[in-house]
Amino acid sequence: MKRTAVLISALALTGVGFLGSTGTASADTCPSGAVCAYLNENWSGKAYPVYQDNDDLTMYSGWRWAESIYNNGKSCNVHIYSEKNHGGARYPLNRGTGWKSIKGSAVYHHAFSNKWYGCK
């Protein structure tokens, strides 16, 4: 059951369903090596970058109220989670791509932890 929920969540964020398609153009304000959350759709406004695994992103308003996310990592993909400590729904985000809108997903205003994976 849990595996099915994760699969459905992943499909939703990869462009099947309610989210904006993943982008391939860089979000200019997201520093190299970071994954960035934005308080607005389309990666507009201030970037809230993080560079490592985080068990609790709720202390950062940009993550707690995120409406778009971009992975500008140098060599890793990243999982974004809807709960602290890598719990809840898990969404994979390849490096060099992002979600212009996460509205309707479990991480909309709830991107509460992240973990890098698939590093090259």
Side-chain angles (χ1 to χ4, degrees):
M1 182 70 155
K2 185 176 180 182
R3 186 178 293 221
T4 302
V6 169
L7 178 60
I8 291 169
S9 298
L11 287 174
L13 278 172
T14 56
V16 178
F18 47 82
L19 291 179
S21 61
T22 58
T24 55
S26 178
D28 293 340
T29 58
C30 187
S32 179
V35 60
C36 298
Y38 295 85
L39 294 174
N40 303 298
E41 293 183 349
N42 299 309
W43 314 311
S44 63
K46 180 181 177 183
Y48 291 83
V50 295
Y51 298 88
Q52 58 198 15
D53 295 343
N54 290 278
D55 294 333
D56 184 1
L57 291 167
T58 62
M59 65 188 90
Y60 306 112
S61 64
W63 287 90
R64 198 172 53 247
W65 299 106
E67 294 194 3
S68 58
I69 300 174
Y70 190 84
N71 179 3
N72 205 18
K74 293 180 181 179
S75 62
C76 300
N77 302 320
V78 65
H79 282 127
I80 307 296
Y81 296 85
S82 63
E83 300 293 334
K84 296 178 188 178
N85 299 309
H86 312 121
R90 177 183 76 181
Y91 298 95
L93 183 58
N94 293 332
R95 67 184 161 93
T97 66
W99 302 308
K100 293 180 179 181
S101 175
I102 56 175
K103 194 171 190 173
S105 75
V107 293
Y108 181 73
H109 292 180
H110 289 90
F112 287 173
S113 58
N114 74 289
K115 188 168 189 166
W116 297 92
Y117 73 96
C119 301
K120 297 179 181 183

